[in-house]
Amino acid sequence: MKDDRNRSVRLLWETPAEPTRGPKAALSQARVVEAAIKVADAEGIEALTMRRVAETLGFTTMSLYRHVPGKSELLDLMVDAVWGETEQTPKTTWRDGLDFYARQLWSMYCAHPWLLQLTNARRMPGPNAMTRTDAAFAVVSGLNLKPEEIVAVVTSIGQFVAGVGRTMADRVLAERETGVSEEDWWNDRDELWEHFTPERLPMMTHIWTTGGYERPLDEFEFGLARVLDGLAVFIEAEERQREAPLVRRETCL
Amino acid sequence: MKDDRNRSVRLLWETPAEPTRGPKAALSQARVVEAAIKVADAEGIEALTMRRVAETLGFTTMSLYRHVPGKSELLDLMVDAVWGETEQTPKTTWRDGLDFYARQLWSMYCAHPWLLQLTNARRMPGPNAMTRTDAAFAVVSGLNLKPEEIVAVVTSIGQFVAGVGRTMADRVLAERETGVSEEDWWNDRDELWEHFTPERLPMMTHIWTTGGYERPLDEFEFGLARVLDGLAVFIEAEERQREAPLVRRETCL
DNA sequence: CTAGAACCGTGTACAACGTACACCTCGTTT
DNA sequence: AAACGAGGTGTACGTTGTACACGGTTCTAG
């Protein structure tokens, strides 16, 4: 059963029948997942080892494998458990809805920065993640967009939040891991700044001396406003084009 | 000298004096970096081990440490070497300039997807990366933006490309690593689709049946156009009324 | 009522990783 | 000729995920 390609599908989407025989389990899948999330929250993804999770639960490392097939599947379960903590996007205007969706993602990433240290490619999507995404699709469904445009719009929001979040997460996790603040770390590399000369880096030194790095804009708020503005331009243009009688585009049912 | 905090600064920004004594080096830092990039290009970052690099060069693992202080510093050198392959943004309009900058980043990420598997937090910036960034700042310097707004505008482009790139990179590297195409992999998980019912996921099933996933829009092109549109709205508004204060909201981190 | 199947948790073991350390061998400087 | 600094080698250690064998516990089939 090693190469059962649907094992992780069943793991996430189906609740297995309870065993009738054998001793009562002292541990459970839910407790393993919960403990793993707690470890990752506190110490980052590189501290998340099977040994560490087992230790916090007071069991041996190998006992975890009775409840979870492997580390990869444990990560799948952790991710979908965290999606379950978010609220579904309510039905409102497209802009309010996407704003809500973006902020839900943002607070999810803030609470669990390790999410952004994980690959998303070929990660098995769980029911929680899918229902949240479905609700996000719904808020842009009344705009007469083509189906692939709906996907593109929601995806662009998701990717924006993930992009900004990753920078934030890397910073937070590095601070937590090393115990050295971002500022202290850069100040320790004092010889670096000697190479930042106006001849070599005119703009950066100018921005530095005029205080551009001292009071940076909030990356999330600034970027979100820009992306939503950009989507507004697109959506309005798309609606105008659709109302024009001559330039009928093919609608897929 | 172990905790010399400026060691990596000198490594990237200064060329060390050539040694006078001892045997001629059969290896060099440049060759190590080059070989490492080649390995990462072909097999991804998780295949980039000191043993693997040494093997492709025909030397022992420990010989690398004569030319590179450690793996972390090797990564710094690889990153800046790759930045050196890109062209600097020429001086044009802000929109053409940012478009150029975005496409440079994009082609860099396409050529070296492993860049996006690396943390950016506390990575020592090298001279190539800094001059490229400086040139990008320059194209938005004629707009009378506040210094922190210049940083925010360029950063938002960088983060957009990194966000889209990461999705692309994860996919490409997973295919290269496993030898299984994305499509085949998802087709193997056939039981997953049985859970995608219209009751549970109405929008997704609708988009699926209307072909929204069959001809997806280009994420890079779609997103870039949206972000540039959004920045245009901001820049025009900013030019119109310079005296209006900018609204800043608090976020969780 | 008993044999055995199913299940839980433990302990040992292995290959791969980064790299510290001791070592020998060159080539230049004193 | 002796000393010294540098390049490359080989061994060894602590980590990681997890395969495998094992012993104890609980329910089911005969």
Side-chain angles (χ1 to χ4, degrees):
Chain A
M1 273 300 177
K2 254 188 79 169
D3 58 342
D4 180 355
R5 296 175 147 81
N6 284 304
R7 185 178 60 178
S8 49
V9 176
R10 283 192 290 275
L11 192 70
L12 279 163
W13 290 85
E14 295 168 22
T15 48
E18 279 183 29
T20 56
R21 289 209 257 237
K24 288 259 170 66
L27 219 47
S28 69
Q29 186 177 95
R31 281 187 63 202
V32 171
V33 172
E34 187 191 4
I37 291 175
K38 219 172 279 183
V39 169
D41 284 348
E43 307 167 43
I45 207 69
E46 59 283 336
L48 182 78
T49 67
M50 299 305 266
R51 284 170 175 81
R52 184 88 189 77
V53 174
E55 188 189 318
T56 68
L57 285 165
F59 286 83
T60 61
T61 309
M62 291 313 292
S63 69
L64 304 184
Y65 287 87
R66 287 280 162 203
H67 306 276
V68 151
K71 194 181 184 183
S72 168
E73 288 84 354
L74 174 56
L75 291 174
D76 289 340
L77 289 166
M78 290 167 67
V79 170
D80 205 57
V82 163
W83 273 98
E85 298 171 2
T86 67
E87 282 175 50
Q88 289 200 24
T89 305
K91 293 192 177 176
T92 51
T93 63
W94 71 265
R95 184 149 186 154
D96 284 350
L98 290 183
D99 188 88
F100 183 93
Y101 177 63
R103 289 175 197 281
Q104 284 291 306
L105 291 177
W106 181 244
S107 62
M108 180 174 82
Y109 292 143
C110 287
H112 310 287
W114 48 268
L115 282 171
L116 295 160
Q117 300 183 291
L118 266 40
T119 309
N120 235 330
R122 302 188 183 185
R123 178 166 312 291
M124 187 56 60
N128 290 326
M130 288 300 98
T131 51
R132 272 30 168 214
T133 309
D134 202 81
F137 282 163
V139 299
V140 290
S141 65
L143 302 171
N144 270 332
L145 296 179
K146 287 190 271 185
E148 61 267 32
E149 290 174 342
I150 295 177
V151 176
V153 166
V154 174
T155 303
S156 68
I157 290 285
Q159 235 147 27
F160 158 72
V161 181
V164 180
R166 199 123 24 191
T167 314
M168 174 274 300
D170 284 349
R171 212 160 18 214
V172 168
L173 292 165
E175 288 200 7
R176 205 175 284 174
E177 201 182 340
T178 61
V180 181
S181 82
E182 199 73 4
E183 204 183 335
D184 289 349
W185 196 88
W186 287 109
N187 282 339
D188 281 343
R189 273 78 188 162
D190 53 335
E191 289 184 26
L192 175 62
W193 314 117
E194 299 169 12
H195 299 281
F196 279 56
T197 59
E199 302 83 50
R200 220 211 281 243
L201 304 169
M203 283 304 301
M204 296 191 105
T205 49
H206 178 254
I207 290 170
W208 176 263
T209 54
T210 52
Y213 292 107
E214 284 164 24
R215 32 168 212 286
L217 298 183
D218 186 304
E219 279 188 38
F220 175 71
E221 294 297 340
F222 179 85
L224 180 58
R226 278 347 109 218
V227 172
L228 289 174
D229 280 351
L231 288 173
V233 172
F234 172 73
I235 286 168
E236 282 159 24
E238 208 66 8
E239 279 182 336
R240 251 197 310 279
Q241 189 157 358
R242 240 152 247 277
E243 282 154 15
L246 280 180
V247 203
R248 257 278 191 243
R249 294 167 96 161
E250 60 163 302
T251 45
C252 328
L253 186 75
Chain B
M1 274 300 178
K2 257 187 77 169
D3 58 343
D4 181 356
R5 295 174 148 80
N6 283 304
R7 185 178 61 180
S8 49
V9 176
R10 285 193 290 276
L11 194 69
L12 279 163
W13 291 85
E14 295 167 23
T15 48
E18 279 184 28
T20 56
R21 290 211 255 236
K24 286 225 188 97
L27 219 47
S28 69
Q29 186 178 94
R31 282 188 63 203
V32 172
V33 172
E34 187 191 3
I37 291 175
K38 220 173 278 181
V39 169
D41 284 348
E43 307 168 44
I45 207 69
E46 58 284 334
L48 181 78
T49 66
M50 299 305 267
R51 284 170 174 81
R52 184 88 189 77
V53 175
E55 189 189 318
T56 68
L57 285 165
F59 287 82
T60 60
T61 308
M62 291 313 292
S63 69
L64 304 184
Y65 287 88
R66 287 281 162 199
H67 306 276
V68 151
K71 193 181 184 182
S72 169
E73 288 84 355
L74 174 56
L75 291 173
D76 289 340
L77 289 165
M78 291 167 67
V79 169
D80 205 57
V82 163
W83 272 98
E85 298 171 2
T86 66
E87 281 176 50
Q88 289 200 24
T89 306
K91 293 192 177 178
T92 51
T93 63
W94 72 263
R95 184 149 186 153
D96 284 350
L98 290 183
D99 188 88
F100 183 92
Y101 177 62
R103 289 176 196 282
Q104 284 291 305
L105 291 178
W106 181 245
S107 63
M108 180 174 83
Y109 292 143
C110 286
H112 310 287
W114 48 269
L115 281 172
L116 295 160
Q117 301 183 290
L118 264 41
T119 308
N120 235 330
R122 303 189 182 184
R123 178 166 312 289
M124 186 58 59
N128 289 327
M130 287 299 96
T131 51
R132 276 20 170 222
T133 309
D134 202 80
F137 282 163
V139 300
V140 289
S141 64
L143 302 171
N144 269 333
L145 296 180
K146 286 187 267 184
E148 61 266 30
E149 290 174 344
I150 296 176
V151 176
V153 166
V154 174
T155 303
S156 69
I157 290 286
Q159 236 147 25
F160 158 72
V161 182
V164 180
R166 199 123 24 190
T167 314
M168 175 273 302
D170 284 349
R171 212 160 18 215
V172 168
L173 291 165
E175 287 200 7
R176 205 174 283 174
E177 199 183 343
T178 63
V180 181
S181 82
E182 201 73 4
E183 203 183 337
D184 289 349
W185 195 89
W186 286 108
N187 282 338
D188 282 343
R189 272 80 189 160
D190 54 334
E191 289 185 25
L192 175 62
W193 314 118
E194 299 170 13
H195 299 281
F196 280 54
T197 58
E199 303 82 50
R200 220 211 282 243
L201 303 170
M203 283 303 302
M204 296 193 107
T205 49
H206 178 253
I207 290 170
W208 176 263
T209 55
T210 52
Y213 292 107
E214 284 165 25
R215 34 171 208 286
L217 298 183
D218 185 306
E219 279 189 37
F220 175 73
E221 295 296 341
F222 179 86
L224 181 57
R226 277 348 109 217
V227 171
L228 289 175
D229 280 351
L231 288 173
V233 172
F234 172 73
I235 286 167
E236 282 160 23
E238 206 66 8
E239 280 179 336
R240 250 196 310 278
Q241 40 175 326
R242 294 281 315 156
E243 66 275 10
L246 198 81
V247 179
R248 273 190 68 187
R249 293 172 83 165
E250 284 295 317
T251 49
C252 56
L253 281 174

